[in-house]
Amino acid sequence: MAKKNTQQDAKWLDKKALKDCIIHHLHSTLGTDENKASKKAWWNATCAAVNELVFERATRTQKTHYQQDTRAVHYFSLEFLMGRLLKNNLTNLQVDQVVSDALAELGLDINELAEEEPDMALGNGGLGRLAACFVDSLATLGYPAIGYGIHYEHGLFTQDFHHGRQVERPDSWREYGNPWEICRPESIQEIPLYGYVETRYDENGNISKEWHPGRIIKGVPWDIPVVGYGAKTVNILRLWESRASDFFNWDVFNAGGYLDAQVENVQAETISKVLYPNDNTDAGKELRLMQQYFFCACSIKDIVRRYKRAHGDDWSEFTKQIVIQLNDTHPAIAIPELMRILVDRANMQWDKAWDICQQVFAYTNHTLLPEALEKWSVRLFEKVLPRHLEIIYEINRRFLEDVVEKVYPGNDAVKRKLSIIEEGHQKMVRMGNLSVIASFKVNGVAEIHSKLVKSDLFPEFDKIWPNKLTNVTNGVTPRRWLKSCNPLLSDLINKHVDEDWPVNLYKLKRLADKADDAEFQQAFLAIKYQNKVKLAQVIEQETGIKVDPEAMFDIQIKRLHEYKRQQLNLIHIMALYKRLLENPNYEMPKRVFIFGAKAAPGYHMAKEIIYAINRVAEKINQDSRIKDKLKVVFLPNYRVSLAEKMIPAADVSEQISLAGKEASGTGNMKLALNGAITIGTLDGANIEIAEEAGEDNVVIFGLDVDQVKAKRAHGYNPWDHYYSNNELKCVLDWFESDFFTPGKPGELAEIKRSLLDYGDSYLTLADFESYSDAHKKLDKLFIDRARWAKMAIINTASMGKFNSDRSIQDYVDRIWHLTPCTIK
Ligand SMILES: *Cc1c(COP(=O)(O)O)cnc(C)c1O
């Protein structure tokens, strides 16, 4: 809190004034009273009270940025996985205690009220959550920044299980209004789509292009304040909602009655209706291209409008003021859009415009998976964005003739590979190549990933521009992912470390001094136990399954994907079950395996894996022969708010992707920060986590990147493992029986087929034995409670690097070059 409080701020130090404020909002904002108010109404009234602080500071921040004409980063992302905002805002405003006390006097529990808030799930997984952690850190560090994205009416679907199978229901997060957002009709934008391009010549014979769009869509901005920790800076997340425009293009209509039926059918509102539920796959759908263009065009117009307010038609300061970060290639269409604005609208020479673009855009690559690298068919592009296709061709022509030719003279193979246009039966626009060519920096998201971006994905680009490709290792905000989600551990930390650790996470290192201290170990383990008791309650509520908080809680939470290898976890659980059936005295601590994962609705094998886990869980959980030594829980509807309950209770963190496939991972960081021991492959940020925590404090298994390459080069054959490991063979054969699916033999057989007949694309069987050995190692470590406590403490103590504040500072130093701005 600021020392000199305005009158506004004064009540935030005073329970009684705060109570009055909440009740005032209950009456005048919610139109109800204390006697009949629902919990939802109380939650709303509390949010309204908090917003008095939030919006006042947001306004102050925006005013200061405007007055000082600050350089700002514009974070373009198709996804922002924000989760709930009430507790986060209270934490960052540092009024959580006073609000909690005030509510208690009203007979209300802050935690119960917080449960009333629907998650703001405008993202799929790691990429969207990263964007949310980054806007938190940008505000915390006082950097001028704005997040730009889509105001989806429906976020990521909610997940139910029906007889073990995933069922999706639409997510209606703002059906009954959302207290955190403000509509800004004064900043509405109009966005063209479809139509044709006219070529014109002026009296001097100079060529110019005019796009005659077939349709105009309105973009309505909704602003969500992003409160930095300490609440000095409150930045804005601006999300665009699409609406039908009253505008009708007679020009196009008269030019030949040209409005094809499909164009007419597209309802403008559908553009921002729903988030595409694919994680790490490209669906290549027309509506998705329109979503990408819609939000980029709105955002670029918004940026240009704001720039012109300060600089008029003088473009000379543009690159000093503006940097745009592309979160993956999803917003890459912003590149030809800015070119179009500069060349067609501002009548700028191509070279000058291109120069500006190359100083404005930077691109973050999030994956090497070929199925996730975005490509759009030239045919679709021409239909939806005809002028942008022309601009892309011109960017490409100049790149190949002026740039590639100099470094690779006459080398058509390299030109074919680097071209933005992929030739072939269906010509395609490669958004990754466009992004690298137009950006001044390209970063991967963990050391190994960035190395592979250079060596395997874009080696020729690296040769052309040796300083363009770089690394910024991902991070997570410790405000949400430790302070707010794990209050018990936070209080313990506060007793031993300066209380500013949430903005200075390296200070946790101090805890390592206590790693051997028996009393501290006890305290640490006691907190883990209490968190496990709480999660056990959630598990029983959600699934009816009773689990023992004394057992080892082994957690795998992340999107369901074959590369993340939930199937490896599953076959290992089946192997444990088999060992217990064969030998009821099989030596192992009690274990609970807990999953949380959504599968993309169109990803068949992912859904089969969910089904298999649920069927195996059902059988194991009701088998009295194994005396509760093994339990398997699949919590439905994994999302940010559920992650916040699971992570503090984890003993073990499963990070078992095939080496080379997980760009970074951020779930790995959240779990380790809360004292979970990682069982993981040498992939993504696991490598850096192992470096920071020390090899003795993580359990590494499996093939590394080079061994994977070697194995594939020699021709990987999963049957070798099937025939050489009898336990593995028996487990895989179970999938074909009706052991887990009584009366329905073969219901799970596709999983076996994918691991054998279809070639086991993610080398699951190759890593099984090593994985099984790693779990045996965990068993031994877990029984030695002091040893385990020490490892867990060292993990928490060593996670300073994985603070998203550090990531943001790396972006600022290496890419954005921003200056923090002090707000009053
Ligand atoms: C952190 C997070 C992720 C990313 O998890 P990974 O294990 O890195 O894939 C996905 N979903 C949610 C809800 C998260 O909070």
Side-chain angles (χ1 to χ4, degrees):
M1 295 285 294
K3 289 230 174 60
K4 271 189 245 157
N5 288 295
T6 61
Q7 273 207 331
Q8 268 278 0
D9 291 359
K11 68 168 156 264
W12 294 93
L13 303 173
D14 171 16
K15 259 189 308 194
K16 258 186 77 180
L18 193 53
K19 263 162 55 180
D20 292 344
C21 180
I22 293 170
I23 287 170
H24 165 76
H25 280 290
L26 197 67
H27 295 170
S28 63
T29 309
L30 277 298
T32 184
D33 66 51
E34 297 92 308
N35 299 317
K36 56 181 191 194
S38 64
K39 259 191 209 154
K40 189 83 162 199
W42 280 111
W43 167 73
N44 256 306
T46 308
C47 294
V50 173
N51 272 337
E52 287 188 11
L53 262 188
V54 170
F55 282 110
E56 195 256 328
R57 289 173 191 210
T59 308
R60 213 190 297 168
T61 303
Q62 301 319 303
K63 199 166 149 194
T64 309
H65 289 169
Y66 177 68
Q67 281 167 350
Q68 302 191 6
D69 196 20
T70 49
R71 173 176 170 81
V73 64
H74 304 76
Y75 198 85
F76 279 32
S77 181
L78 210 50
E79 305 188 10
F80 286 90
L81 190 47
M82 301 293 284
R84 292 173 175 158
L85 298 185
L86 176 57
K87 287 231 282 192
N88 190 249
N89 286 348
L90 295 179
T91 301
N92 284 8
L93 291 161
Q94 295 174 326
V95 297
D96 36 347
Q97 194 56 55
V98 65
V99 170
S100 161
D101 293 346
L103 288 170
E105 290 191 6
L106 292 165
L108 298 157
D109 174 4
I110 176 68
N111 293 311
E112 267 179 45
L113 285 198
E115 289 292 317
E116 293 294 315
E117 181 169 354
D119 274 42
M120 193 175 170
L122 309 186
N124 273 289
L127 175 147
R129 184 55 230 175
L130 186 76
C133 284
F134 279 2
V135 290
D136 178 278
S137 283
L138 279 161
T140 296
L141 296 176
Y143 288 116
I146 176 160
Y148 278 115
I150 293 180
H151 189 261
Y152 298 106
E153 186 179 332
H154 302 285
L156 187 61
F157 65 86
T158 61
Q159 177 195 56
D160 278 329
F161 296 137
H162 283 183
H163 308 293
R165 293 205 179 269
Q166 170 174 297
V167 181
E168 303 93 20
R169 281 187 298 109
D171 161 61
S172 304
W173 64 283
R174 56 191 300 281
E175 198 173 1
Y176 307 109
N178 180 302
W180 304 115
E181 55 184 16
I182 286 194
C183 190
R184 301 282 185 204
E186 69 273 22
S187 299
I188 285 174
Q189 302 292 352
E190 294 204 320
I191 303 303
L193 283 169
Y194 300 106
Y196 67 96
V197 180
E198 182 192 0
T199 305
R200 285 201 186 137
Y201 295 89
D202 67 11
E203 55 275 22
N204 301 318
N206 292 319
I207 193 168
S208 72
K209 298 282 190 168
E210 180 148 345
W211 178 17
H212 298 268
R215 194 176 180 109
I216 303 283
I217 307 291
K218 258 193 327 197
V220 180
W222 292 85
D223 285 355
I224 290 134
V226 179
V227 182
Y229 187 76
K232 293 183 188 74
T233 294
V234 178
N235 282 330
I236 294 295
L237 172 60
R238 175 160 281 190
L239 303 178
W240 299 96
E241 180 189 78
S242 66
R243 297 265 181 91
S245 166
D246 5 334
F247 180 96
F248 185 76
N249 198 336
W250 291 103
D251 187 19
V252 170
F253 188 77
N254 293 333
Y258 167 77
L259 267 183
D260 57 270
Q262 260 191 308
V263 178
E264 274 186 307
N265 284 341
V266 171
Q267 286 300 307
E269 272 87 4
T270 62
I271 292 181
S272 62
K273 186 68 85 193
V274 55
L275 167 77
Y276 273 88
N278 297 323
D279 188 70
N280 270 312
T281 48
D282 172 27
K285 290 288 189 341
E286 180 167 339
L287 182 61
R288 166 91 169 177
L289 178 61
M290 292 202 286
Q291 288 187 333
Q292 296 183 348
Y293 178 64
F294 165 74
F295 104 85
C296 288
C298 287
S299 308
I300 294 273
K301 282 211 165 87
D302 205 48
I303 290 168
V304 168
R305 176 188 54 81
R306 203 176 297 116
Y307 174 81
K308 284 192 161 186
R309 201 167 61 189
H311 301 270
D313 286 332
D314 173 11
W315 291 92
S316 66
E317 302 284 297
F318 194 72
T319 63
K320 290 199 192 99
Q321 299 302 94
I322 310 292
V323 58
I324 297 175
Q325 189 68 35
L326 305 174
N327 195 23
D328 212 314
T329 59
H330 312 155
I333 191 64
I335 295 161
E337 174 65 6
L338 181 57
M339 282 300 285
R340 185 183 74 86
I341 298 291
L342 296 177
V343 172
D344 294 0
R345 290 298 163 114
N347 295 312
M348 197 178 282
Q349 288 298 307
W350 180 280
D351 287 320
K352 196 176 160 202
W354 182 240
D355 210 52
I356 288 177
C357 275
Q358 280 193 302
Q359 291 179 261
V360 161
F361 290 106
Y363 152 56
T364 304
N365 173 279
H366 283 273
T367 181
L368 307 168
L369 298 179
E371 66 270 30
L373 299 176
E374 288 191 302
K375 288 184 207 170
W376 294 104
S377 86
V378 165
R379 202 180 42 75
L380 175 62
F381 230 101
E382 188 163 28
K383 176 177 146 195
V384 180
L385 300 168
R387 178 60 184 138
H388 297 77
L389 183 64
E390 286 188 353
I391 290 170
I392 286 169
Y393 267 104
E394 183 62 11
I395 293 172
N396 197 39
R397 184 187 67 77
R398 287 167 181 251
F399 166 67
L400 294 176
E401 286 175 12
D402 303 346
V403 183
V404 185
E405 180 58 26
K406 285 214 181 73
V407 184
Y408 295 96
N411 191 336
D412 288 344
V414 166
K415 283 186 190 167
R416 254 196 309 281
K417 194 173 165 201
L418 300 192
S419 173
I420 301 171
I421 306 299
E422 182 182 272
E423 301 292 336
H425 171 62
Q426 260 238 93
K427 278 198 198 179
M428 305 292 276
V429 182
R430 295 165 169 153
M431 302 308 269
N433 289 20
L434 172 64
S435 300
V436 177
I437 291 164
S439 298
F440 65 94
K441 285 284 174 184
V442 174
N443 74 285
V445 289
E447 290 291 346
I448 189 171
H449 168 65
S450 298
K451 204 188 103 212
L452 291 169
V453 168
K454 278 192 191 186
S455 63
D456 294 13
L457 188 63
F458 298 136
E460 298 84 4
F461 284 122
D462 189 43
K463 185 170 170 196
I464 293 172
W465 293 298
N467 296 316
K468 192 182 275 202
L469 305 192
T470 184
N471 173 250
V472 178
T473 297
N474 282 166
V476 300
T477 170
R479 275 76 67 183
R480 182 180 292 265
W481 296 112
L482 180 52
K483 189 172 193 337
S484 160
C485 76
N486 198 343
L488 297 176
L489 185 54
S490 299
D491 287 346
L492 178 68
I493 292 170
N494 280 338
K495 287 185 196 142
H496 297 93
V497 174
D498 296 342
E499 292 205 13
D500 68 348
W501 60 264
V503 284
N504 232 319
L505 204 62
Y506 284 111
K507 287 197 177 179
L508 294 186
K509 197 79 234 174
R510 273 296 185 82
L511 297 175
D513 305 342
K514 296 260 160 195
D516 281 307
D517 177 328
E519 202 177 318
F520 189 77
Q521 289 179 349
Q522 284 300 317
F524 200 95
L525 289 180
I527 286 165
K528 184 62 81 179
Y529 181 80
Q530 289 184 63
N531 289 333
K532 287 162 74 176
V533 169
K534 272 200 271 179
L535 181 60
Q537 286 163 0
V538 173
I539 289 172
E540 185 163 7
Q541 261 165 33
E542 295 289 315
T543 68
I545 301 165
K546 283 192 169 51
V547 298
D548 179 358
E550 298 280 0
M552 185 199 295
F553 279 20
D554 180 311
I555 297 190
Q556 186 171 20
I557 39 176
K558 49 189 71 259
R559 284 300 287 260
L560 202 309
H561 203 295
E562 286 164 284
Y563 88 77
K564 293 175 181 280
R565 299 201 296 192
Q566 280 93 352
Q567 71 277 17
L568 176 58
N569 193 343
L570 173 63
I571 58 179
H572 173 256
I573 290 167
M574 291 160 72
L576 284 182
Y577 182 39
K578 188 160 177 299
R579 287 172 209 169
L580 286 168
L581 289 179
E582 282 169 4
N583 173 13
N585 297 317
Y586 177 75
E587 191 87 32
M588 70 174 230
K590 255 191 180 182
R591 274 171 158 258
V592 181
F593 289 90
I594 309 171
F595 292 86
K598 287 176 183 173
Y603 187 172
H604 175 72
M605 188 53 67
K607 291 178 135 181
E608 290 299 302
I609 294 168
I610 288 180
Y611 183 61
I613 294 170
N614 278 325
R615 294 318 298 256
V616 169
E618 207 178 302
K619 172 99 185 170
I620 291 178
N621 294 340
Q622 62 185 25
D623 191 333
S624 57
R625 292 173 294 178
I626 58 169
K627 301 191 202 86
D628 292 344
K629 278 184 92 170
L630 187 57
K631 293 274 172 195
V632 184
V633 176
F634 203 139
L635 281 173
N637 203 26
Y638 179 59
R639 62 199 187 282
V640 170
S641 60
L642 185 55
E644 287 167 5
K645 295 172 188 153
M646 298 175 81
I647 287 167
D651 292 308
V652 173
S653 162
E654 296 273 351
Q655 307 300 336
I656 61 178
S657 53
L658 174 63
K661 297 291 180 187
E662 187 75 272
S664 164
T666 50
N668 47 4
M669 301 167 185
K670 300 167 198 164
L671 283 151
L673 181 60
N674 284 272
I677 309 305
T678 302
I679 178 169
T681 48
L682 288 172
D683 199 15
N686 296 353
I687 296 173
E688 290 159 74
I689 289 172
E691 268 168 27
E692 295 297 306
E695 305 264 321
D696 292 346
N697 300 304
V698 293
V699 178
I700 298 296
F701 73 94
L703 302 170
D704 66 18
V705 166
D706 293 332
Q707 290 165 332
V708 168
K709 282 181 182 169
K711 186 134 234 160
R712 289 201 199 279
H714 294 125
Y716 170 61
N717 185 358
W719 291 100
D720 295 345
H721 298 281
Y722 178 81
Y723 286 116
S724 65
N725 183 333
N726 191 249
E727 179 176 71
L728 182 58
K729 179 177 182 300
C730 292
V731 164
L732 290 170
D733 289 343
W734 258 348
F735 284 118
E736 276 181 333
S737 73
D738 73 345
F739 189 57
F740 295 100
T741 55
K744 293 174 177 170
E747 241 195 341
L748 308 178
E750 234 182 305
I751 293 176
K752 180 181 176 185
R753 285 200 291 276
S754 82
L755 296 175
L756 290 166
D757 303 329
Y758 310 154
D760 185 16
S761 316
Y762 300 97
L763 277 58
T764 311
L765 304 192
D767 275 346
F768 174 77
E769 218 167 274
S770 165
Y771 181 58
S772 170
D773 291 344
H775 270 291
K776 288 175 188 164
K777 198 167 149 189
L778 281 175
D779 285 348
K780 289 215 181 76
L781 289 166
F782 190 76
I783 291 165
D784 182 349
R785 297 313 288 150
R787 178 71 210 287
W788 189 271
K790 180 178 177 181
M791 288 173 70
I793 293 162
I794 291 175
N795 267 276
T796 297
S798 313
M799 291 302 110
K801 174 175 176 182
F802 305 104
N803 182 354
S804 46
D805 298 351
R806 190 273 313 146
S807 305
I808 288 300
Q809 196 54 48
D810 284 353
Y811 276 100
V812 166
D813 295 341
R814 293 173 202 171
I815 303 176
W816 299 338
H817 304 295
L818 304 172
T819 316
C821 178
T822 309
I823 308 301
K824 229 179 29 187

